[in-house]
Amino acid sequence: MKKLTAMLLVLAMVLAFAGCAKTETPAATTAPETTAAPETTAAPETTVAETEEAGTVMSHDAYVAADMDTEVVVETYVQAHQSWWDNKVTVYCQSPDGAYFLYELACSEEDAAKLVPGTKIRVTGYKGEWSGEVEIMDGTFEFVDDGDTYIAEALDVTDLLGTDELEKHQNEFVSFTGLTVEPSTDANGNEAAFLYNWDGSGEKGNDLYFNVSVNGQTYNFCVESYLCGQDTDVYKAVEALKVGDVINAEGFLYWYEGVNPHITAISVAE
């Protein structure tokens, strides 16, 4: 009986202890504070040039819109090139939508011989400007052999001389008609129909400079000796000019502090 009573007492104590024990619950957590989403700003307006992906071929409009010193990629057609030297060549190129001046394009002598008029090339370089002349500098190129060729016909820009419209045709193959040869003055004040170098300091074989007038305005033209040397017809024709001669001319609409075309042909105006 004592054993039964003792066992009942022990069981009662165990049950009492269990009833007094605390059951812990996890502490309540506070939801993190939410913040308002940041305000969105309108994306900056993109230009034509910015929409061109790096490395893709650009239209002439996109090239014109591109910022200076940015990389440009164009496909175009050789119209002429200056003398090759030191693995570089300067090329006059044009496409139906506009023209390009490629200054000192990286080129082997072998490849320079292949840059004949009409040849299609893809050029990668940097858009630059020097004294008003917009050009592609530090460029490389590859031939595009797709059977496509293009040789530009000369655009008569005589009536555009002296207008802002003329510069839009920079580097294109152009023509001028009814030009009157005006005196050119050297550094010593002597007048002549042409000068070797811009100030008369040169000699046969150097660039030729001569003045022409039309519609009451005078302009300075150039025969670039690296393009048309002393043995070419145009070089000899300029050497034979006399003040007062009336001539027609063709060449590339180069720019130097204003219009300063590189003339490739002249003839007596009829």
Side-chain angles (χ1 to χ4, degrees):
M1 186 68 180
K2 290 182 180 178
K3 289 182 179 179
L4 179 61
T5 302
M7 290 178 63
L8 290 173
L9 289 172
V10 171
L11 179 60
M13 291 177 64
V14 170
L15 291 173
F17 180 80
C20 294
K22 291 193 298 184
T23 303
E24 293 187 5
T25 58
T29 57
T30 304
E33 184 178 347
T34 58
T35 57
E39 293 184 5
T40 57
T41 56
E45 182 179 355
T46 56
T47 65
V48 174
E50 289 171 338
T51 61
E52 297 285 343
E53 295 182 8
T56 60
V57 176
M58 308 169 74
S59 66
H60 190 266
D61 284 345
Y63 167 76
V64 170
D67 292 334
M68 291 296 174
D69 301 319
T70 57
E71 185 178 81
V72 293
V73 181
V74 300
E75 284 188 358
T76 185
Y77 303 84
V78 176
Q79 304 300 304
H81 67 78
Q82 297 182 9
S83 302
W84 175 90
W85 180 78
D86 193 27
N87 289 317
K88 298 173 185 176
V89 66
T90 295
V91 188
Y92 303 80
C93 284
Q94 190 165 338
S95 302
D97 59 349
Y100 308 89
F101 184 71
L102 315 179
Y103 181 69
E104 293 193 345
L105 188 66
C107 181
S108 68
E109 187 172 15
E110 180 182 4
D111 282 345
K114 300 175 185 177
L115 293 174
V116 297
T119 301
K120 187 176 184 179
I121 58 176
R122 180 179 296 130
V123 181
T124 302
Y126 292 87
K127 183 180 178 181
E129 182 268 340
W130 186 71
S131 295
E133 168 64 24
V134 178
E135 56 199 30
I136 297 177
M137 303 184 296
D138 299 325
T140 59
F141 80 98
E142 57 185 300
F143 293 100
V144 179
D145 187 13
D146 62 1
D148 194 13
T149 63
Y150 176 77
I151 296 179
E153 294 185 4
L155 174 69
D156 190 337
V157 294
T158 309
D159 292 340
L160 298 182
L161 284 166
T163 72
D164 293 338
E165 184 70 19
L166 182 64
E167 194 169 1
K168 296 179 181 178
H169 299 280
Q170 189 175 128
N171 297 318
E172 291 181 19
F173 186 55
V174 297
S175 64
F176 307 90
T177 57
L179 308 174
T180 300
V181 178
E182 301 291 347
S184 296
T185 305
D186 66 18
N188 297 317
N190 301 312
E191 292 187 346
F194 71 93
L195 301 175
Y196 293 113
N197 288 342
W198 66 272
D199 59 354
S201 62
E203 58 186 8
K204 187 179 182 69
N206 294 133
D207 297 344
L208 299 179
Y209 286 83
F210 61 103
N211 289 332
V212 295
S213 65
V214 63
N215 298 326
Q217 298 294 321
T218 299
Y219 305 92
N220 188 244
F221 285 10
C222 173
V223 174
E224 166 60 61
S225 60
Y226 290 141
L227 175 63
C228 298
Q230 62 182 346
D231 295 327
T232 61
D233 291 342
V234 66
Y235 198 99
K236 295 174 182 178
V238 171
E239 288 182 310
L241 289 177
K242 297 179 177 59
V243 173
D245 286 349
V246 180
I247 62 171
N248 301 325
E250 291 182 347
F252 298 101
L253 195 61
Y254 187 78
W255 217 259
Y256 177 77
E257 304 295 347
V259 59
N260 183 226
H262 288 175
I263 300 302
T264 58
I266 65 170
S267 59
V268 176
E270 296 180 359

Coordinates of all heavy atoms in Angstrom, one line a residue, residues 15 24 63 68 105 139 195 220 237 263:
L15 N 3.2 15.5 -13.2 CA 2.2 16.2 -13.9 C 2.1 17.6 -13.5 O 1.9 18.5 -14.4 CB 0.8 15.5 -13.6 CG 0.7 14.1 -14.2 CD1 -0.7 13.4 -13.7 CD2 0.7 14.1 -15.7
E24 N 8.1 28.3 -25.2 CA 8.6 29.5 -25.9 C 8.1 29.6 -27.3 O 8.1 28.6 -28.0 CB 10.1 29.6 -25.9 CG 10.7 29.7 -24.5 CD 12.2 29.9 -24.5 OE1 12.7 30.1 -25.7 OE2 12.8 30.0 -23.5
Y63 N 27.2 59.2 -90.9 CA 28.6 59.7 -90.8 C 28.6 61.2 -90.6 O 29.4 61.7 -89.7 CB 29.3 59.3 -92.1 CG 30.6 60.0 -92.3 CD1 31.8 59.6 -91.6 CD2 30.8 61.1 -93.2 CE1 33.0 60.3 -91.7 CE2 32.0 61.7 -93.3 CZ 33.1 61.3 -92.6 OH 34.3 62.0 -92.7
M68 N 32.8 64.3 -83.8 CA 34.2 64.3 -84.1 C 34.9 63.3 -83.1 O 34.6 63.2 -82.0 CB 34.8 65.7 -84.1 CG 34.4 66.6 -85.1 SD 34.8 66.0 -86.8 CE 34.0 67.2 -87.8
L105 N 45.4 56.5 -94.9 CA 44.8 55.1 -94.7 C 45.9 54.1 -94.6 O 46.8 54.1 -95.5 CB 43.8 54.8 -95.8 CG 42.9 53.6 -95.7 CD1 41.9 53.8 -94.5 CD2 42.2 53.4 -97.0
G139 N 42.7 55.3 -90.3 CA 41.8 54.2 -90.8 C 42.5 53.0 -91.3 O 43.7 53.0 -91.6
L195 N 51.3 79.8 -108.8 CA 52.4 79.7 -107.9 C 52.8 78.3 -107.6 O 51.9 77.4 -107.5 CB 52.1 80.4 -106.6 CG 51.7 81.9 -106.6 CD1 51.4 82.4 -105.2 CD2 52.9 82.8 -107.2
N220 N 40.6 80.3 -104.5 CA 42.0 79.7 -104.7 C 41.8 78.2 -105.0 O 41.2 77.5 -104.1 CB 42.8 79.9 -103.5 CG 44.3 79.5 -103.7 OD1 44.7 78.6 -103.0 ND2 45.0 80.2 -104.6
A237 N 48.9 71.9 -117.8 CA 48.0 72.9 -118.3 C 48.0 74.1 -117.4 O 47.8 75.3 -117.8 CB 46.6 72.3 -118.3
I263 N 42.2 70.1 -108.0 CA 41.9 70.0 -109.5 C 42.6 68.9 -110.2 O 43.8 68.7 -110.0 CB 42.2 71.4 -110.1 CG1 41.4 72.5 -109.4 CG2 41.8 71.3 -111.6 CD1 39.9 72.3 -109.5

